[in-house]
Amino acid sequence: QVQLVESGGGLVQAGGSLRLSCAASGRTFSRYSMGWFRQAPGKEREFVAVITWSGTITRYADSLKGRFTISRDNAKNTVYLQMNSLKPEDTAVYYCAAGGFGVYEWEYSYWGQGTQVTVSS
């Protein structure tokens, strides 16, 4: 069982940066691939990025490559999402997820409650 708690969201101006964190409980954190999804108002939840348990392989949504970076620190049971050059369209609730490596929600077993990111123009 893994419990996930996101933090680091907030209000930022366009062009700015934020780093989201997802702290996981459970001794098996290091065994799970970890992903980030986001859900904008009125839209479906969408895949952002995922990282393998070892941190050696990452995947990103094509539209976000080059601006977002996912990383993890297994010693701290934490996965991060560094977001640069933020745009108003990045405004969404960002969710951390564990247990999958694909782009679909159903592939992941555990979810956090989400953290709000708002990018002003």
Side-chain angles (χ1 to χ4, degrees), residues 47-119:
F47 170 77
V48 173
V50 64
I51 188 167
T52 54
W53 67 271
S54 63
T56 56
I57 300 174
T58 57
R59 293 176 65 181
Y60 295 91
D62 288 342
S63 62
L64 301 176
K65 287 180 181 178
R67 293 197 300 123
F68 287 18
T69 303
I70 189 170
S71 62
R72 68 190 294 162
D73 185 339
N74 287 342
K76 296 182 178 180
N77 280 8
T78 302
V79 63
Y80 304 98
L81 184 68
Q82 178 67 43
M83 306 185 294
N84 299 326
S85 302
L86 284 162
K87 305 175 182 180
E89 50 264 43
D90 294 319
T91 294
V93 177
Y94 283 71
Y95 296 91
C96 177
F101 194 68
V103 301
Y104 301 105
E105 293 181 61
W106 56 263
E107 298 181 80
Y108 294 79
S109 302
Y110 305 101
W111 290 85
Q113 294 301 306
T115 185
Q116 176 71 47
V117 171
T118 303
V119 184

Side-chain angles (χ1 to χ4, degrees), residues 11-67:
L11 175 64
V12 63
Q13 289 188 333
S17 298
L18 280 176
R19 188 177 79 157
L20 306 182
S21 299
C22 174
S25 64
R27 292 178 291 178
T28 59
F29 168 78
S30 62
R31 300 180 185 177
Y32 289 95
S33 294
M34 299 293 298
W36 287 96
F37 284 71
R38 68 183 184 182
Q39 187 168 20
K43 296 187 177 180
E44 294 185 353
R45 197 176 302 188
E46 65 175 358
F47 170 77
V48 173
V50 64
I51 188 167
T52 54
W53 67 271
S54 63
T56 56
I57 300 174
T58 57
R59 293 176 65 181
Y60 295 91
D62 288 342
S63 62
L64 301 176
K65 287 180 181 178
R67 293 197 300 123

